[in-house]
């Protein structure tokens, strides 16, 4: 069962900009549910950010893998 969140919440969870969440969805890296302002993303498909407990430095989570597609012609 997916855990659906807004792009803003997904950006906070991953430590990446909202535009990156939108790009991942357009590339097929993460699932998109709904349309328009009601779009939600499955946070379980994303890697969380890490925060250093001493310095507070944020390290963004790894990007989801690209979907398997047909090979490109050269």
């Amino acid at each position: 069962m997916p855990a659906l969140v807004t792009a803003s919440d997904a950006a906070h969870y991953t430590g990446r900009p909202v535009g990156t969440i939108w790009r991942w969805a357009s590339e097929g890296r993460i699932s998109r549910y709904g349309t328009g302002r009601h779009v939600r993303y499955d946070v379980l498909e994303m890697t969380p950010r890490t925060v250093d407990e001493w310095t507070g430095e944020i390290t963004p989570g790894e990007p989801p893998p690209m979907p398997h597609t047909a090979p490109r012609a050269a």
Side-chain angles (χ1 to χ4, degrees), residues 14-68:
T14 61
R16 300 203 178 244
V18 171
T20 300
I21 304 303
W22 294 335
R23 181 173 48 82
W24 287 349
S26 71
E27 292 172 345
R29 292 176 184 243
I30 58 175
S31 300
R32 181 183 337 191
Y33 299 87
T35 59
R37 296 185 67 174
H38 302 289
V39 124
R40 298 294 182 262
Y41 305 92
D42 186 359
V43 75
L44 300 178
E45 296 176 356
M46 301 174 228
T47 307
R49 68 188 179 153
T50 56
V51 180
D52 185 282
E53 64 180 84
W54 295 100
T55 65
E57 181 179 346
I58 295 173
T59 303
E62 291 294 317
M66 289 292 287
H68 296 283

